[in-house]
Amino acid sequence: MAPPSYSDIGKQARDVFGKGYHFGLVKLDVKSKTSSGVEFTAGGSSSTDGGKVTGSLETKYKIKEHGLSLTEKWNTDNSLNTTVDYDKLVPGLKLTLDGSFQPNSGSKSGKFKTEYKHEKFLFNADLNLASSPW
């Protein structure tokens, strides 16, 4: 078994007091899965003091025989995020391509992530994808 990543150390203890407790916030999440394996998640939240209402719609499709997973998420900030995961190249290696697009402004961003788990170590590397260096 691979050692935990640094960010996962103490996560269970932090979740005891932080996960699922939303003071001053009303939150609703609805999940569904089709017979073909497509998962849908719709969610929304609003603060009890009459603040901003936010929502999102997420679709996830897995092709297990090829090791692919495609996730698309759209939210009320008009941001479209897409994630493609691939984990069949080498045992223990996971490749992820994250992309974000804002139709209002036309801004795009991307990130290429790798994670390799072995019995004795865990290795992560992230690369930002940009059209220009600045």
Side-chain angles (χ1 to χ4, degrees), residues 49-112:
D49 62 357
K52 185 176 179 183
V53 175
T54 61
S56 65
L57 176 63
E58 182 176 312
T59 306
K60 188 170 195 174
Y61 183 67
K62 294 181 182 179
I63 307 171
K64 291 185 180 184
E65 60 270 9
H66 296 292
L68 282 171
S69 174
L70 173 67
T71 305
E72 291 183 325
K73 185 173 185 178
W74 176 77
N75 61 35
T76 52
D77 292 333
N78 203 18
S79 174
L80 179 64
N81 300 310
T82 304
T83 303
V84 179
D85 294 319
Y86 181 66
D87 61 3
K88 287 274 188 172
L89 190 62
V90 175
L93 178 67
K94 181 179 179 183
L95 304 173
T96 302
L97 181 62
D98 283 339
S100 178
F101 176 63
Q102 302 258 336
N104 292 345
S105 63
S107 68
K108 298 171 262 196
S109 65
K111 189 178 276 194
F112 180 70

Side-chain angles (χ1 to χ4, degrees), residues 33-48:
K33 187 173 184 177
T34 65
S35 60
S36 62
V38 179
E39 298 175 20
F40 293 97
T41 304
S45 64
S46 175
S47 61
T48 56

